[in-house]
Amino acid sequence: MRKCYIVSEEKGRRRFLKPVSLAEAFELASSSFSLSLRTKVVKLEDALGTILAEDIYSSMDMPPEDRAFYDGFALRSEDVENASSSAPAVLTIKERGPVGRGEAVPIGAGEPLPEGADSVARTEICEVLDKRVLVKAPLRKGENLIKRGGDLRKGEVALERGRSLRPQDIALAMELGLSEVRVYEKPKVAVMHVGKEVLEKREKGFPYPDNFSQLASLMLKSFGFETTHLGIFPENAQQFVEVTLKAMDNYDALVVVGRASIGEEDLVPRVLQDIGRIVFHGVGVSPGKVSGLAVVKEKPVFMVPAHVGSAMASLLLIVIPALTLSLYGSREPYFRLRAKLKGYIEGRHGLAAFRTVAVKREGEGFAAYPVSKELGGSPFLTSLTRANGFVILEPGSKLKEGESVEVRLFSPQELLPCSLPEKSK
Amino acid sequence: MRKCYIVSEEKGRRRFLKPVSLAEAFELASSSFSLSLRTKVVKLEDALGTILAEDIYSSMDMPPEDRAFYDGFALRSEDVENASSSAPAVLTIKERGPVGRGEAVPIGAGEPLPEGADSVARTEICEVLDKRVLVKAPLRKGENLIKRGGDLRKGEVALERGRSLRPQDIALAMELGLSEVRVYEKPKVAVMHVGKEVLEKREKGFPYPDNFSQLASLMLKSFGFETTHLGIFPENAQQFVEVTLKAMDNYDALVVVGRASIGEEDLVPRVLQDIGRIVFHGVGVSPGKVSGLAVVKEKPVFMVPAHVGSAMASLLLIVIPALTLSLYGSREPYFRLRAKLKGYIEGRHGLAAFRTVAVKREGEGFAAYPVSKELGGSPFLTSLTRANGFVILEPGSKLKEGESVEVRLFSPQELLPCSLPEKSK
């Protein structure tokens, strides 16, 4: 058992014995626990946004018959085999099929080919004269058709497992005659807050004294997790053990906000080592250094600091990517884009840095403004409300004004133009 | 009253008398009805993703006290006014404040400045010797501090009306001591399907024969509308009038799928003219030409064709933007990005074109593939499931391989890397 959380005293201050790098934290997390998604069956009309847990095979050819590729006339190619602009074929217009020798039926792009026809003459090569049509070029059999099964053949996979179901995906499943599908359940994450100062704040009448754990809970929710806030607890080891062990039975993961650092009052890492295993404690990133991971009953317990910038960094850099990797096998839950940096961003010596930015459209691209130039993007709660994404800096690196930087958006909704009503402003 | 829906006979086919351009359709829509959002009060923990309906003012300065900008020592600037690297000031380290003359207290970035101190010496200019610290440079009063109220002053707007509430916005409202906020209700849209062939399909046992109106309902839902599917109705004018008039009392808008074209069986435009006013019928876009708008009881009734590509075009080009404009004052509900076109896209003579594409990350940018090269992006349902966005072409224009095109994503979620589990593939 690694006693990573044990602290050393140096220059009058307690320090993490062995903080890990962000990359090491990730490696350790991905090898220390393994979660699986549960599945459930839902009605198709309730499936929007769920993730498909099975391959869906097509029960039919799509389209189910030959169709016109262009507007024009459905006809028999043998009737126009010698047609040219100087010697057009002359066919009789019929309102609908079947199409016999010497006949043509008007057809719109995408409409089923009437019986008897084997090709479609585009409007451009046709000239209508009363009840007849002149066709001015020859056609091959099958020309300008969308063939039966051309889009999807019977027995092919129509919708693959893992697809996040959108309106058109559900409409296709409906077209195939299905009424329900098997999808993945949302993973369940519990969040708790430890710290008597939060309890005291509640006694003073604050409705949400635990706003940083509420932030954690809402942040996880916005990334597709089902979250339960277990409440606020005092620094009581026995109570913490009971709540934690129970949570491990009922949820896929636990996030503990507060009392995760290296002070004497920080019981969380000590207790987690007693009832489980500390995977890492202390991460080389600023803010977010006071982050940790333990495994209890084979499930992850994340330690998240109760300061807003640190909590945000810990959640976005460690908790959410680690859970996403274990559950979905994908390392990166964020919408990434490149933007031109407006201002400079500086990291701290020896630590990776988490810096928040406000991305805006500028010209054909994007510009990223550090949310507070004065703070170099330092994450106070008010700054966070002005930001819509973040940048990760390598330890010791600096980003200069005008550089192209990779920004991860807090949510892909962030750049929607309609999020702010302009109407009555 | 404009009788736009009346059709003419030409070349043996019925045609719209006067189709409007996409831009005209939009102008007509925006001047023909005006919807307003209702508001409601929600608890903060339930406010994620809602849109704030009031400005929220700060009840306090943020931060509420002076804080350290960097790690280092809090001290009195007068004690180090003559300090230099050759003649450092020597101060006594105290574990915590208040800070007296000749004293220094260790402080972390973002921590409140202890009483008595007026500035912070960065770690870089300090050298710790047992219980003393050597400070090797002078400091101004207030140096390296984040000032009280520097982020937000009491009485300033903390969160503005119209903001879509994210975790950090809610956490800030909680920090300000709020328990609930006033937000906008989702606009209510009813959807109905008209057409006996759909009823017949249901009789044959199809669970969702009305999949194109289900598509409309789900698409509106994915753009933040609350939708109700009213069901499938036969071509019965009296019943259609009753259902429509009732819907206008209970919903903000109605979307009618099917029987909206110019054939004899297309009762929808005829009946809507009797009970309201046709704003336009027939739009110069392909697919999506058979789209229309009527106003009944001052509310919009959209006519949407019951073919998948046309329905999608009608919803994405007309219904959703027109509702968004009226409700939120913003013309554009889509996440837009520029991508390099892989393949060519061709419009149709005299009509704007709606073409679907699959956008992928390539290098540092994006590439847009027409979903079916053979079809030039023609929207069959299977093609739509392979697409994640669309391109609008001006009438008669062509886009060549390699051109930079503006793509609108079906949803901003489309490019999230974790939407497809790679794990067990």
Side-chain angles (χ1 to χ4, degrees):
Chain A
M1 194 180 293
R2 288 178 70 185
K3 294 203 171 188
C4 313
Y5 80 93
I6 291 177
V7 299
S8 71
E9 299 257 352
E10 201 186 327
K11 292 188 180 178
R13 307 201 80 184
R14 294 181 138 222
R15 294 188 183 277
F16 286 99
L17 185 62
K18 191 181 178 316
V20 296
S21 73
L22 207 45
E24 286 167 340
F26 224 88
E27 286 305 308
L28 288 167
S30 64
S31 58
S32 67
F33 64 91
S34 168
L35 303 174
S36 342
L37 292 164
R38 288 170 298 277
T39 68
K40 63 178 177 182
V41 170
V42 292
K43 281 165 83 177
L44 276 173
E45 64 201 270
D46 301 323
L48 189 65
T50 62
I51 297 175
L52 197 57
E54 59 185 355
D55 285 329
I56 291 181
Y57 296 90
S58 182
S59 53
M60 58 200 265
D61 284 336
M62 289 207 169
E65 69 278 297
D66 292 348
R67 293 188 180 180
F69 190 87
Y70 296 108
D71 287 348
F73 286 88
L75 48 75
R76 302 164 82 114
S77 56
E78 56 188 317
D79 284 343
V80 298
E81 60 184 350
N82 297 314
S84 67
S85 53
S86 55
V90 182
L91 305 179
T92 305
I93 297 174
K94 265 183 89 178
E95 199 173 326
R96 56 179 61 87
V99 178
R101 284 298 307 258
E103 293 176 344
V105 169
I107 194 165
E111 287 177 5
L113 195 71
E115 204 185 310
D118 64 11
S119 53
V120 169
R122 295 183 71 164
T123 310
E124 286 81 347
I125 64 159
C126 297
E127 190 183 333
V128 174
L129 290 177
D130 194 25
K131 304 251 158 107
R132 282 158 192 279
V133 57
L134 309 185
V135 181
K136 298 172 177 177
L139 291 168
R140 292 187 314 280
K141 201 168 168 173
E143 195 162 346
N144 297 335
L145 298 188
I146 304 157
K147 288 295 205 174
R148 172 179 172 159
D151 249 27
L152 191 67
R153 291 197 177 281
K154 186 174 172 175
E156 277 188 322
V157 172
L159 298 167
E160 72 287 3
R161 192 185 65 77
R163 176 178 281 256
S164 175
L165 292 172
R166 306 166 303 163
Q168 63 266 44
D169 305 320
I170 295 170
L172 177 59
M174 290 171 169
E175 180 106 351
L176 294 172
L178 299 180
S179 60
E180 51 189 33
V181 283
R182 181 167 291 277
V183 300
Y184 291 112
E185 279 185 34
K186 286 187 177 187
K188 294 188 172 90
V189 181
V191 177
M192 63 187 285
H193 205 129
V194 181
K196 65 174 183 302
E197 71 285 2
V198 179
L199 287 166
E200 284 162 10
K201 220 172 155 189
R202 182 162 67 190
E203 275 158 31
K204 285 181 194 154
F206 255 78
Y208 293 104
D210 52 347
N211 63 334
F212 297 151
S213 51
Q214 297 284 353
L215 172 66
S217 177
L218 291 167
M219 186 66 77
L220 285 159
K221 197 172 160 192
S222 77
F223 279 93
F225 298 93
E226 186 184 309
T227 59
T228 304
H229 198 297
L230 300 176
I232 310 169
F233 299 89
E235 292 89 340
N236 176 317
Q238 196 188 329
Q239 193 181 2
F240 178 65
V241 167
E242 281 165 22
V243 174
T244 301
L245 291 178
K246 199 172 160 204
M248 295 347 276
D249 291 337
N250 296 326
Y251 303 96
D252 295 307
L254 173 65
V255 171
V256 183
V257 177
R259 294 297 177 265
S261 190
I262 50 180
E264 281 166 24
E265 75 284 13
D266 290 306
L267 86 162
V268 172
R270 285 198 302 275
V271 172
L272 289 177
Q273 191 177 35
D274 288 342
I275 60 170
R277 181 172 70 87
I278 299 283
V279 179
F280 59 81
H281 186 218
V283 179
V285 62
S286 168
K289 204 165 145 186
V290 184
S291 300
L293 170 64
V295 170
V296 178
K297 294 191 181 179
E298 294 175 43
K299 288 177 181 171
V301 181
F302 292 95
M303 294 174 260
V304 168
H307 295 285
V308 63
S310 317
M312 202 76 170
S314 188
L315 287 163
L316 291 168
L317 299 185
I318 300 169
V319 180
I320 290 169
L323 288 174
T324 302
L325 179 63
S326 181
L327 288 160
Y328 300 101
S330 166
R331 195 182 177 102
E332 173 71 58
Y334 306 111
F335 188 103
R336 285 171 291 129
L337 51 79
R338 295 210 72 96
K340 198 170 173 180
L341 187 61
K342 303 285 182 168
Y344 72 96
I345 300 182
E346 203 177 340
R348 283 172 66 184
H349 182 69
L351 297 174
F354 166 86
R355 293 293 182 263
T356 52
V357 294
V359 176
K360 292 173 189 163
R361 280 178 194 281
E362 283 194 9
E364 296 214 337
F366 298 98
Y369 294 81
V371 279
S372 163
K373 195 181 168 185
E374 180 200 334
L375 303 177
S378 171
F380 279 89
L381 195 41
T382 37
S383 304
L384 283 177
T385 64
R386 290 167 194 152
N388 56 16
F390 63 95
V391 170
I392 304 172
L393 274 82
E394 291 297 306
S397 67
K398 288 182 187 186
L399 295 174
K400 285 183 227 109
E401 172 130 20
E403 269 191 75
S404 164
V405 294
E406 186 170 61
V407 179
R408 286 162 168 81
L409 295 182
F410 290 149
S411 133
Q413 313 287 346
E414 293 285 356
L415 285 174
L416 282 187
C418 75
S419 62
L420 295 185
E422 297 150 16
K423 211 173 184 179
S424 35
K425 283 205 161 173
Chain B
M1 194 179 291
R2 287 178 69 183
K3 295 202 171 188
C4 312
Y5 79 95
I6 291 178
V7 298
S8 70
E9 299 258 352
E10 200 186 328
K11 292 187 183 178
R13 307 202 80 184
R14 295 182 138 221
R15 294 190 183 277
F16 285 101
L17 185 63
K18 193 183 178 312
V20 296
S21 73
L22 208 46
E24 286 166 339
F26 224 89
E27 286 305 308
L28 288 167
S30 65
S31 59
S32 67
F33 64 90
S34 168
L35 302 174
S36 346
L37 293 163
R38 287 169 299 275
T39 68
K40 63 178 177 182
V41 170
V42 293
K43 281 165 84 177
L44 277 174
E45 64 201 90
D46 301 324
L48 189 65
T50 62
I51 298 175
L52 196 58
E54 60 185 355
D55 285 330
I56 291 181
Y57 294 91
S58 182
S59 53
M60 58 199 266
D61 284 336
M62 288 207 169
E65 69 278 296
D66 291 348
R67 294 188 178 180
F69 190 87
Y70 296 109
D71 288 348
F73 286 89
L75 48 75
R76 302 164 81 116
S77 54
E78 57 189 318
D79 285 343
V80 298
E81 60 184 350
N82 298 315
S84 67
S85 54
S86 56
V90 182
L91 306 179
T92 305
I93 297 174
K94 265 182 88 177
E95 200 173 325
R96 56 179 61 87
V99 179
R101 284 297 308 257
E103 293 176 344
V105 169
I107 192 165
E111 288 177 6
L113 194 71
E115 205 185 312
D118 64 11
S119 53
V120 169
R122 296 183 71 163
T123 311
E124 286 81 347
I125 64 158
C126 298
E127 190 182 333
V128 174
L129 291 176
D130 194 27
K131 305 253 156 103
R132 280 156 195 280
V133 56
L134 308 186
V135 181
K136 297 171 177 177
L139 289 170
R140 291 185 316 279
K141 201 167 167 174
E143 196 162 344
N144 297 336
L145 298 188
I146 303 159
K147 289 296 205 172
R148 171 179 173 160
D151 249 27
L152 191 66
R153 293 196 176 281
K154 186 175 171 176
E156 276 188 322
V157 172
L159 299 167
E160 71 287 1
R161 191 184 66 78
R163 176 178 281 257
S164 176
L165 292 171
R166 306 166 303 163
Q168 63 267 45
D169 304 321
I170 295 170
L172 177 59
M174 289 171 169
E175 180 106 351
L176 295 172
L178 299 180
S179 60
E180 50 189 32
V181 282
R182 181 167 291 277
V183 300
Y184 292 112
E185 279 185 33
K186 287 187 177 186
K188 294 189 172 90
V189 181
V191 177
M192 63 188 284
H193 205 129
V194 181
K196 66 173 182 302
E197 72 283 3
V198 179
L199 287 166
E200 284 162 9
K201 220 173 155 186
R202 183 162 68 190
E203 275 158 30
K204 285 182 195 154
F206 256 77
Y208 292 104
D210 52 346
N211 63 334
F212 297 151
S213 51
Q214 297 283 352
L215 172 66
S217 177
L218 291 166
M219 186 66 77
L220 285 159
K221 197 173 161 192
S222 77
F223 279 92
F225 298 92
E226 186 184 311
T227 59
T228 305
H229 199 297
L230 300 176
I232 309 169
F233 299 88
E235 293 90 338
N236 176 318
Q238 195 189 328
Q239 194 182 3
F240 178 64
V241 168
E242 280 165 22
V243 174
T244 301
L245 292 177
K246 199 172 160 203
M248 295 347 277
D249 291 337
N250 296 327
Y251 304 95
D252 294 308
L254 172 64
V255 172
V256 183
V257 177
R259 293 297 177 264
S261 190
I262 50 179
E264 281 166 26
E265 75 285 13
D266 290 306
L267 86 163
V268 172
R270 285 198 302 276
V271 171
L272 289 176
Q273 191 178 36
D274 287 343
I275 60 169
R277 181 171 69 87
I278 299 282
V279 179
F280 59 82
H281 186 221
V283 179
V285 63
S286 168
K289 203 166 145 186
V290 184
S291 300
L293 169 64
V295 170
V296 178
K297 292 190 182 179
E298 293 174 45
K299 287 176 181 172
V301 181
F302 292 95
M303 294 173 261
V304 168
H307 296 286
V308 63
S310 317
M312 201 77 170
S314 187
L315 287 163
L316 291 168
L317 300 184
I318 300 169
V319 180
I320 290 170
L323 288 174
T324 302
L325 179 63
S326 181
L327 288 159
Y328 300 102
S330 166
R331 195 182 177 102
E332 173 71 59
Y334 306 111
F335 188 103
R336 285 171 292 129
L337 51 79
R338 295 210 70 95
K340 199 170 172 179
L341 187 62
K342 304 284 183 169
Y344 71 95
I345 300 183
E346 202 176 342
R348 284 172 65 184
H349 182 68
L351 297 174
F354 166 86
R355 292 293 182 265
T356 52
V357 294
V359 176
K360 291 172 189 164
R361 280 178 194 283
E362 283 193 9
E364 296 214 337
F366 299 96
Y369 293 81
V371 280
S372 162
K373 194 181 169 186
E374 180 200 336
L375 302 177
S378 172
F380 279 91
L381 195 41
T382 37
S383 304
L384 282 176
T385 64
R386 290 164 193 154
N388 56 16
F390 63 96
V391 170
I392 304 172
L393 274 82
E394 291 296 308
S397 68
K398 287 182 188 186
L399 295 174
K400 285 183 228 108
E401 172 129 20
E403 268 191 75
S404 164
V405 293
E406 186 170 60
V407 180
R408 288 162 167 82
L409 296 182
F410 289 149
S411 133
Q413 314 286 348
E414 293 285 356
L415 285 174
L416 282 187
C418 74
S419 62
L420 295 185
E422 295 149 19
K423 210 173 186 178
S424 33
K425 285 204 162 177

